[in-house]
Amino acid sequence: MSVSQPSLTVEQQFFDVIKDRRSVRSYDPEVKISREHINEILQQATLAPSSANLQPWRFLVIDSPELKQKLLPIAYNQQQVIEASAVIAVLGDRETYKLAEKIYGMAVDAGHMDAETAKSFVERYQGIFKSMPPENIRRIVSIDGGLVSMQLMLVARAKGYDTVPMAGYDEAKFVEAFHISERYAPVMLIAIGKAAKPGHPTVRLPIEDVTFYNEMPKA
C-alpha cells in the first residue's frame, strides 16, 4: 500500500517555519501578545508527545512588566526578559500521575479507548510513578518539557512571533522569587514577542558528522 505524501505546498510551509525560526534576543517592547493568543500557542504546543500521555508540562506566563523586571537579574540581565511580550517558564510536574484518571477518562469520553483499558492504564502508571526514584521522574518531565518547548517555539513562529529558549538563569532564585513548589521542576524559560532585530543566521554540522547507522564510532 502506498503512503500518500503531503502536498509540496504544505511540506514547504512546514520547512519554512523550521528554517525561519531563530533565537531572537532583541524584541519590540511595544508589541503585546494577548493572553488569548498565548493560550492558542500553548494549546497547539501541548499536542507534543509525552511519556504515557501524562502531559507533565506546566506553563508560568510572566507578562507583568513588574514581574519581568523582577526576573531580569535572575536571568542574568538578559534584555529580552523585559523587551519581549512575555516570558514563559516551562515547568515539569513531578506529580502529573495524579491527573492520570482525568486524562484517560477524557480518552474514554472521546472514544479513543474503553473504560476497562483506561482503568488499567491509570492503575499501572500511578503505581509506576509513585515508586519511581525522584531523579527518574525529573528526567522524564525534563524530556517532555523539552519536547513541548520546541513545539511551542515552532507554533509561535508559524503564527508570526519570535522566541528564544533560555537556560541561563539562576534556578534556585527563580524558584524562590516566583514561589515554585517542589512539585514543579523548572525546564527552561522562553521569551516570546516580535523581533526588533532578526536572529543571527546559524550554521549546522554536516549530517555525516552527527549521524551513525547501527553502531557508534569507537572514539
Side-chain angles (χ1 to χ4, degrees):
M1 178 185 296
S2 62
V3 178
S4 61
Q5 298 296 316
S7 71
L8 182 61
T9 301
V10 172
E11 184 177 276
Q12 192 58 55
Q13 286 175 341
F14 176 67
F15 290 156
D16 287 345
V17 168
I18 293 174
K19 289 186 291 185
D20 289 346
R21 187 211 60 79
R22 292 284 184 270
S23 291
V24 170
R25 292 176 173 81
S26 180
Y27 290 84
D28 183 347
E30 299 302 315
V31 173
K32 307 300 179 188
I33 305 177
S34 71
R35 292 186 175 184
E36 179 184 6
H37 284 165
I38 288 179
N39 284 345
E40 288 175 1
I41 291 168
L42 294 176
Q43 187 67 62
Q44 293 294 319
T46 61
L47 295 175
S50 63
S51 179
N53 195 32
L54 289 178
Q55 307 164 47
W57 40 68
R58 306 291 180 262
F59 308 106
L60 175 61
V61 180
I62 303 168
D63 61 1
S64 156
E66 294 77 19
L67 291 180
K68 289 195 290 181
Q69 283 287 349
K70 182 179 181 180
L71 179 60
L72 182 62
I74 295 171
Y76 306 132
N77 296 309
Q78 298 179 75
Q79 282 300 113
Q80 63 262 28
V81 167
I82 55 174
E83 291 177 350
S85 300
V87 176
I88 301 172
V90 181
L91 310 169
D93 185 355
R94 292 181 172 98
E95 298 179 14
T96 193
Y97 63 85
K98 292 181 177 179
L99 293 177
E101 191 169 353
K102 178 177 182 178
I103 291 168
Y104 290 116
M106 291 170 64
V108 172
D109 293 342
H112 300 326
M113 66 174 60
D114 60 71
E116 194 60 36
T117 300
K119 182 175 181 291
S120 70
F121 278 14
V122 170
E123 292 172 352
R124 177 192 307 171
Y125 291 121
Q126 284 186 342
I128 289 173
F129 274 81
K130 285 178 182 178
S131 61
M132 191 178 293
E135 61 271 20
N136 290 17
I137 295 178
R138 173 65 193 249
R139 181 173 181 271
I140 288 171
V141 302
S142 294
I143 290 171
D144 291 348
L147 289 169
V148 81
S149 294
M150 188 69 253
Q151 187 129 313
L152 189 164
M153 290 184 282
L154 292 177
V155 172
R157 180 82 291 269
K159 289 182 175 291
Y161 298 112
D162 300 289
T163 57
V164 60
M166 302 164 60
Y169 64 97
D170 189 316
E171 183 176 309
K173 289 182 179 178
F174 171 73
V175 166
E176 180 182 6
F178 288 87
H179 311 293
I180 310 296
S181 77
E182 290 185 357
R183 173 171 174 166
Y184 304 104
V187 176
M188 71 177 72
L189 305 177
I190 300 175
I192 181 170
K194 282 276 193 178
K197 297 178 183 178
H200 295 299
T202 58
V203 296
R204 293 293 186 267
L205 289 167
I207 200 65
E208 294 80 7
D209 288 1
V210 298
T211 305
F212 310 97
Y213 286 91
N214 299 322
E215 62 180 358
M216 293 296 294
K218 301 261 188 302

